[in-house]
């Protein structure tokens, strides 16, 4: 099985909800829909924070379930995936990169390894199948791997605080309801610690991005946040074989 048969939808779908739209909509009008009877929760001062570090590394584990109705005619039916990723964020140079291990939970436990690189001087994202030595160019607006907004946005609604263990870890949670007229719509929630270290994100809804229409559920947890990026060349260097491949194919096809 090729990585391109179930690649596009499973990398950071929740990032779509953090201020980046595949159809160019401004998300400033999003959050709680009019007339929805949700209780008011008092938001503590300072909860609406900003990521504190210009460069950092964080690990992310995700469970993904989707019911898709076609990937350019290549796929149909439900898919369940466990995804583990090693991510680096460089706000100083406006770059993002990730090493992703994905396991297909269909009994075969087929595993694939993918590298993702987004550079500011290119109008696309590199999506590299490390197992097959193949590369794909993705539209940035449909692969918003970077955290779309460094600060908790004004349109995110505060839903409360919680703690893990014996109050050893606390976090504030926010939510956003994305309208159905967007290419990706549904309920998106995320939580951050009081000093704005990312903790979790969840999405339930549908998306028409990546050339397919599907119902999608994603539940993710961030761990091992580390300030700085050791050996950045390991993450941001595009393999030579990608540069020499044919560049005339559409963005959604392997080049």
């Amino acid at each position: 099985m090729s990585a391109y048969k179930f690649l596009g939808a499973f990398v950071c779908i929740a990032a779509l909800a953090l201020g980046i739209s595949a159809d160019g909509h401004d998300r400033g009008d999003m959050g709680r829909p009019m007339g929805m009877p949700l209780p008011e929760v008092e938001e503590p001062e300072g909860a609406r924070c900003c990521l504190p570090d210009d460069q950092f590394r964080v690990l992310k584990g995700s469970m993904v379930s989707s019911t898709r109705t076609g990937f350019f005619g290549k796929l149909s039916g439900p898919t369940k995936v466990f995804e583990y990723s090693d991510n680096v964020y460089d706000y100083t140079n406006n770059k993002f990169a990730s090493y992703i291990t994905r396991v297909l939970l269909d009994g075969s436990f087929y595993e694939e390894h993918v590298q993702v690189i987004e550079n500011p001087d290119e109008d696309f994202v590199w999506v590299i199948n490390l197992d097959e030595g193949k590369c794909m160019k993705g539209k940035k607006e449909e692969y918003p791997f970077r955290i779309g907004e460094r600060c908790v946005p004004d349109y995110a609604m505060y839903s409360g605080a919680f703690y893990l263990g014996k109050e050893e870890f606390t976090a504030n949670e926010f939510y956003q309801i994305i309208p159905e007229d967007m290419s990706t719509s549904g309920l998106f929630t995320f939580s951050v610690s009081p000093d704005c270290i990312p903790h979790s994100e969840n999405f339930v809804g549908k998306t028409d991005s990546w050339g397919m229409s599907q119902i999608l559920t994603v539940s993710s947890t961030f761990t091992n946040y580390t300030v700085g990026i050791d050996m950045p060349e390991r993450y941001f260097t595009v393999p030579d074989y990608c540069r020499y491949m044919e560049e005339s194919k559409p963005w959604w096809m392997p080049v």
Side-chain angles (χ1 to χ4, degrees):
M1 177 184 294
S2 168
Y4 300 107
K5 292 185 178 179
F6 61 101
L7 176 61
F10 300 135
V11 186
C12 296
I13 174 63
L16 277 169
L18 282 172
I20 300 179
S21 166
D23 52 13
H25 280 67
D26 181 4
R27 297 196 181 273
D29 61 345
M30 295 162 56
R32 181 184 306 172
M34 293 184 62
M36 186 171 183
L38 293 177
E40 293 287 345
V41 178
E42 183 177 355
E43 181 178 327
E45 184 178 355
R48 205 166 291 266
C49 55
C50 297
L51 285 165
D53 302 299
D54 293 329
Q55 298 177 325
F56 61 90
R57 175 190 177 198
V58 66
L59 306 182
K60 181 180 180 181
S62 303
M63 293 297 296
V64 184
S65 178
S66 72
T67 301
R68 57 180 62 193
T69 57
F71 181 23
F72 297 99
K74 295 181 180 180
L75 263 187
S76 62
T79 304
K80 296 179 181 179
V81 172
F82 171 74
E83 185 175 285
Y84 172 84
S85 57
D86 178 359
N87 311 279
V88 292
Y89 295 83
D90 184 348
Y91 282 105
T92 302
N93 300 296
N94 200 28
K95 298 194 296 185
F96 168 85
S98 179
Y99 278 99
I100 303 162
T101 297
R102 185 177 294 116
V103 181
L104 187 60
L105 303 178
D106 63 348
S108 69
F109 297 101
Y110 173 83
E111 185 173 309
E112 69 175 8
H113 304 87
V114 178
Q115 182 181 8
V116 176
I117 303 173
E118 180 177 337
N119 291 311
D121 56 347
E122 295 175 320
D123 61 357
F124 56 86
V125 174
W126 286 106
V127 184
I128 304 161
N129 182 337
L130 299 173
D131 301 313
E132 300 181 7
K134 295 181 180 180
C135 309
M136 182 172 73
K137 292 180 180 179
K139 290 181 179 179
K140 281 191 175 183
E141 60 266 32
E142 293 196 356
Y143 284 82
F145 299 105
R146 291 181 296 106
I147 295 178
E149 295 177 354
R150 187 165 178 172
C151 300
V152 175
D154 291 338
Y155 52 78
M157 307 298 294
Y158 182 75
S159 59
F162 64 90
Y163 63 88
L164 301 178
K166 296 182 178 180
E167 301 190 31
E168 296 171 352
F169 178 89
T170 61
N172 292 303
E173 187 173 48
F174 299 83
Y175 72 91
Q176 179 185 351
I177 297 175
I178 310 171
E180 291 188 358
D181 61 348
M182 309 293 286
S183 62
T184 296
S185 63
L187 174 65
F188 172 66
T189 69
F190 64 96
S191 62
V192 294
S193 67
D195 54 352
C196 226
I197 304 302
H199 170 257
S200 66
E201 59 186 21
N202 301 279
F203 176 80
V204 178
K206 69 177 183 68
T207 179
D208 296 323
S209 297
W210 304 289
M212 68 186 87
S213 177
Q214 60 185 325
I215 304 300
L216 190 65
T217 301
V218 183
S219 180
S220 304
T221 301
F222 296 93
T223 60
N224 293 24
Y225 182 99
T226 305
V227 179
I229 302 173
D230 291 333
M231 297 188 300
E233 65 279 0
R234 172 179 179 267
Y235 293 92
F236 295 113
T237 301
V238 178
D240 289 340
Y241 56 77
C242 292
R243 301 292 187 185
Y244 293 110
M245 287 182 175
E246 180 184 350
E247 297 189 10
S248 61
K249 293 183 178 179
W251 69 267
W252 45 267
M253 292 290 288
V255 296

